[in-house]
Amino acid sequence: MSSSPHPHTFRLSPVAYKALTDRAAAEPELYWEGESRRLNWSAEPSQAYCEEQGWFVDGALNASVNCLDRHLATRADQAALIWQAEDADRVVTFTYRTLHEQVCRLANVLRSQGVRAGDRVAIHLPSVPEGLIAMLACARLGAIHVVLFGGFSPEAIADRLADSGAVLVITANVGRRGAKRIPFKTTLDAALDLRPEAHAINHVLVVSVTDDVVSMKADRDMWLSPLLEEAAAECAPQDMPASAPLFLLYTSGSTGKPKGIVHGTGGYLVWASYTHELVFDHQEGDVFWCTADIGWITGHTYGVYGPLLNGGTILLFEGMPSHPGPGRWWNVIQDHKVTTFYTSPTAIRALMREGNDVVQRYDLSSLRVLGTVGEPISQEAWSWFNDHVGGGRCAFVDTWWQTESGGIMISPVPGAVREKPASATLPLPGVHPVLLDERGAPKEGATEGVLCLRGSWPGRALTIWNDAALFERTYLQPYSGYYFTGDGARRDEDGYYWITGRVDDVINVSGHRIGSAEIEDALATELLIAESAAIGIPHDLKGQGIVVYVVPRDGAPDDLHLRAAKAITSKVGRYAAPERIHVVPDLPKTRSGKSVRRLLRKIACGETEGFGDLSTLADPEIVATLISIIQAPK
Ligand code: WTA
């Protein structure tokens, strides 16, 4: 139990927090109606929730107005976004006034390129201000942004452009990663050339991050900055219904196909504002740094929308934790007096390895709240972050949520919920987790089970783009009457939740979700591979690492594992590169032909016994064969 008293004054006392929780449970309609007043509506919703139609359905609003315009009267000269470039001496600050102006200019550019409300616009950018500006510019027009993670391969981008039907892409000539250059434009060009008939991209706007030269295709590609200079600095916002999609964000699940999770406007924004204020104890003067890439949901909700909705100041850093030296992140916190620092257990594990003396060189006394997200955090990493980075003075929020939930669901609330290292603790007021047994019956008290959610919440995704039936099948049908999260959890005697990890075939590598099926589908494109299985195993640094088994076809060459690795990185991306690839004669299968992942996982972890009854396998001998292959000296 964390015993260090926090010297800070937090917004919520335990008593006030309990009152919120009780009210949200007793009078949900009134509670959420109240919370909806966090936003400026052009038409106020007459109802919070309706089972058939969702949240705030007859309300109308504009997301960029809520993030920018409404703060102009009181905060025009306050920093909205501080961008720390890779170079230590380059900092660009946007006030609410100048950010508003840039967003309007880009919205006008998009409009002049034919973008209209409801159109999809893809954003494929490194950590530069234009990413955030582009998201808000889309929102200003009612266009739906589709941010594509910078680590995606051309194949992965091509699939997502085709599925979303995006009409325009905003990209960069290159991104910077330390001294390296990441070829954004070249990757996008390759994606657009792969299946030209499958996408609807007419225009590519290119941000020049450096002066690197890239090829520009006439009539399609344009440099963004001259267009911005010519554009007007005012742009009338488009009113949108609360249930209009604000963005699509692709994520992985049990099926090979990436799912375009659709988030709406009203409910999502209420959730972003509510959770950012509550969980991060947002206060006047805070400097909020979320290290997630905008290509992931964390970058959307807490790298952009939450802090701006609440009139906060965002810090965006272009670079990496360890460049030019291992203390770079601490240096950024010191220089910009960051108060709220939200990052991943993977990053903490890596920074921990650099040793305590690195952290000690910096003044981190501005920090007030530390947060983590994306994967379970170990007690060791929790304590290191809390003691060495937070100096034992800060609130620590281990936040559990997912792309589909829109924002944080289970987390401590600073000052109100007592922390236990490595527990996500309690649901936020208005969130109702349940733990179910395999048959779908709720389990009471201290127990372990499948984590589901009862009832809806404003941030819940609307659907899956182009596949409403898949949304139902994935989230609503597995456990009738509940929303299925895909995670397992334990609940202790204090009602605290401890997330145990995915119960489906999703692998969590450094906090990035990768579906086993996505990897297996990529391998299926390699003609020399008959079949394959991808599983996750514990990994010291990444949380989980990927191990792949491939079964060759007759006559496959010796370098099959190299071809397998290439199939994965070219179809999915480098972030899905496996730790190990085993070429094996067959997979352990049931008589009906289903591979038994439980066995594959145990064998990959180096176990040699305790496999239980193998008599149900089509070929029980295969287990011993696989063990001998995995154990063989390399
Ligand atoms: C996992 C990221 C343990 C979980 C916001 C979830 C966590 C998936 C935590 C969602 C946490 C997220 N402790 N596990 N605090 N937070 N996860 O969609 O398995 O990229 O289902 O959203 O990450 O990943 P996603």
Side-chain angles (χ1 to χ4, degrees):
M1 188 114 352
S2 153
S3 55
S4 57
H6 304 302
H8 312 288
T9 314
F10 294 111
R11 296 178 59 256
L12 270 191
S13 66
V15 173
Y17 167 83
K18 176 150 193 319
L20 287 188
T21 307
D22 292 347
R23 213 157 61 75
E27 300 178 316
E29 179 68 21
L30 272 180
Y31 186 78
W32 294 119
E33 214 176 276
E35 291 301 330
S36 76
R37 297 201 194 99
R38 313 175 147 271
L39 303 183
N40 272 23
W41 301 83
S42 49
E44 295 266 340
S46 64
Q47 196 185 7
Y49 180 64
C50 142
E51 179 105 29
E52 289 74 46
Q53 293 174 288
W55 289 90
F56 312 116
V57 278
D58 59 355
L61 73 172
N62 181 279
S64 80
V65 168
N66 275 280
C67 289
L68 301 170
D69 304 49
R70 71 164 161 152
H71 300 309
L72 291 179
T74 50
R75 306 181 181 278
D77 297 317
Q78 180 198 313
L81 171 66
I82 302 168
W83 183 61
Q84 170 66 63
E86 177 73 66
D87 332 86
D89 56 1
R90 187 146 173 252
V91 176
V92 182
T93 299
F94 295 81
T95 62
Y96 273 91
R97 189 200 319 280
T98 57
L99 189 61
H100 174 263
E101 184 185 312
Q102 287 305 311
V103 167
C104 286
R105 285 182 190 274
L106 182 49
N108 284 325
V109 170
L110 294 176
R111 190 175 271 160
S112 73
Q113 302 297 319
V115 173
R116 298 290 176 264
D119 286 349
R120 275 79 62 211
V121 172
I123 299 172
H124 178 240
L125 286 170
S127 295
V128 291
E130 284 83 355
L132 176 153
I133 293 169
M135 288 164 69
L136 295 175
C138 289
R140 195 150 193 98
L141 302 179
I144 302 169
H145 57 72
V146 188
V147 182
L148 301 173
F149 170 52
F152 285 148
S153 67
E155 290 272 357
I157 295 172
D159 287 347
R160 287 156 178 79
L161 291 177
D163 185 71
S164 64
V167 294
L168 181 147
V169 194
I170 304 172
T171 191
N173 55 347
V174 295
R176 291 194 274 204
R177 250 183 103 69
K180 269 189 16 200
R181 294 289 174 266
I182 311 294
F184 273 80
K185 175 68 163 58
T186 317
T187 303
L188 179 69
D189 287 344
L192 292 175
D193 289 344
L194 270 175
R195 290 183 285 282
E197 71 295 343
H199 68 76
I201 300 295
N202 299 315
H203 299 290
V204 177
L205 303 178
V206 186
V207 176
S208 45
V209 172
T210 61
D211 47 20
D212 288 59
V213 178
V214 289
S215 79
M216 299 286 281
K217 188 167 168 182
D219 303 329
R220 189 194 71 184
D221 303 348
M222 275 163 293
W223 292 104
L224 184 58
S225 81
L227 299 177
L228 287 176
E229 273 164 35
E230 286 161 26
E234 281 294 331
C235 173
Q238 175 86 34
D239 275 342
M240 298 301 288
S243 57
L246 177 62
F247 63 86
L248 313 185
L249 190 60
Y250 285 87
T251 187
S252 301
S254 308
T255 56
K257 195 170 139 306
K259 301 180 286 192
I261 300 295
V262 183
H263 275 290
T265 307
Y268 171 81
L269 294 177
V270 167
W271 200 246
S273 165
Y274 174 71
T275 56
H276 169 260
E277 182 177 285
L278 208 58
V279 174
F280 298 105
D281 186 62
H282 174 67
Q283 299 191 17
E284 213 47 57
D286 276 357
V287 177
F288 188 92
W289 183 15
C290 164
T291 63
D293 188 278
I294 55 157
W296 306 114
I297 190 71
T298 309
H300 280 55
T301 309
Y302 303 105
V304 178
Y305 286 108
L308 291 180
L309 287 166
N310 293 333
T313 299
I314 293 170
L315 181 96
L316 176 66
F317 175 44
E318 183 184 19
M320 302 190 298
S322 51
H323 184 87
R328 186 72 199 270
W329 270 11
W330 316 131
N331 208 336
V332 171
I333 292 176
Q334 171 180 282
D335 286 356
H336 297 286
K337 301 202 165 41
V338 170
T339 57
T340 320
F341 182 50
Y342 193 31
T343 190
S344 68
T346 286
I348 295 168
R349 287 190 296 266
L351 291 162
M352 225 165 98
R353 290 202 170 181
E354 309 281 1
N356 300 342
D357 53 324
V358 176
V359 197
Q360 276 152 18
R361 274 179 236 141
Y362 300 91
D363 174 7
L364 305 181
S365 60
S366 56
L367 287 172
R368 210 162 60 76
V369 181
L370 303 177
T372 62
V373 60
E375 30 169 347
I377 184 166
S378 65
Q379 303 239 350
E380 188 197 5
W382 194 100
S383 299
W384 184 83
F385 196 38
N386 186 64
D387 299 348
H388 293 278
V389 179
R393 300 175 321 274
C394 297
F396 192 127
V397 293
D398 170 1
T399 63
W400 174 84
W401 59 295
Q402 39 187 206
T403 305
E404 297 87 339
S405 75
I408 296 165
M409 302 292 282
I410 304 182
S411 167
V413 170
V417 175
R418 203 185 48 187
E419 298 144 9
K420 291 188 194 182
S423 168
T425 77
L426 298 174
L428 296 186
V431 174
H432 307 290
V434 286
L435 297 180
L436 304 182
D437 66 19
E438 308 80 68
R439 295 188 323 276
K443 299 169 83 176
E444 302 301 327
T447 188
E448 188 163 343
V450 172
L451 178 63
C452 288
L453 298 157
R454 178 168 56 74
S456 189
W457 64 96
R460 202 186 86 175
L462 302 182
T463 185
I464 292 174
W465 188 252
N466 284 336
D467 208 343
L470 182 62
F471 187 86
E472 300 284 317
R473 262 204 322 281
T474 309
Y475 306 107
L476 305 177
Q477 285 167 5
Y479 296 92
S480 173
Y482 301 100
Y483 168 94
F484 170 53
T485 66
D487 282 313
R490 180 167 72 78
R491 186 170 50 221
D492 70 14
E493 57 292 345
D494 294 324
Y496 277 37
Y497 287 84
W498 303 72
I499 309 298
T500 50
R502 301 290 302 197
V503 295
D504 56 6
D505 293 324
V506 171
I507 308 173
N508 189 329
V509 180
S510 302
H512 300 162
R513 278 163 69 166
I514 302 167
S516 294
E518 236 177 306
I519 297 175
E520 291 156 13
D521 284 1
L523 291 166
T525 63
E526 169 57 67
L527 296 177
L528 298 164
I529 294 174
E531 59 180 334
S532 67
I535 49 130
I537 60 159
H539 187 284
D540 281 354
L541 216 51
K542 302 177 182 176
Q544 283 194 297
I546 299 171
V547 171
V548 168
Y549 295 87
V550 294
V551 180
R553 282 191 203 285
D554 286 346
D558 291 344
D559 68 346
L560 193 63
H561 56 283
L562 292 181
R563 291 176 189 240
K566 186 148 180 287
I568 296 168
T569 47
S570 70
K571 279 272 166 190
V572 185
R574 287 215 50 80
Y575 70 103
E579 302 304 313
R580 298 198 314 259
I581 296 172
H582 298 297
V583 180
V584 295
D586 201 356
L587 301 172
K589 289 200 197 111
T590 59
R591 294 213 182 87
S592 58
K594 224 170 141 337
S595 358
V596 186
R597 291 177 182 278
R598 179 182 62 82
L599 293 176
L600 289 168
R601 216 169 279 131
K602 276 178 162 284
I603 297 169
C605 289
E607 293 181 33
T608 53
E609 52 196 25
F611 294 107
D613 181 14
L614 299 179
S615 65
T616 55
L617 294 184
D619 169 20
E621 295 301 314
I622 189 67
V623 172
T625 310
L626 294 190
I627 292 172
S628 67
I629 294 174
I630 274 79
Q631 304 277 322
K634 287 280 151 351

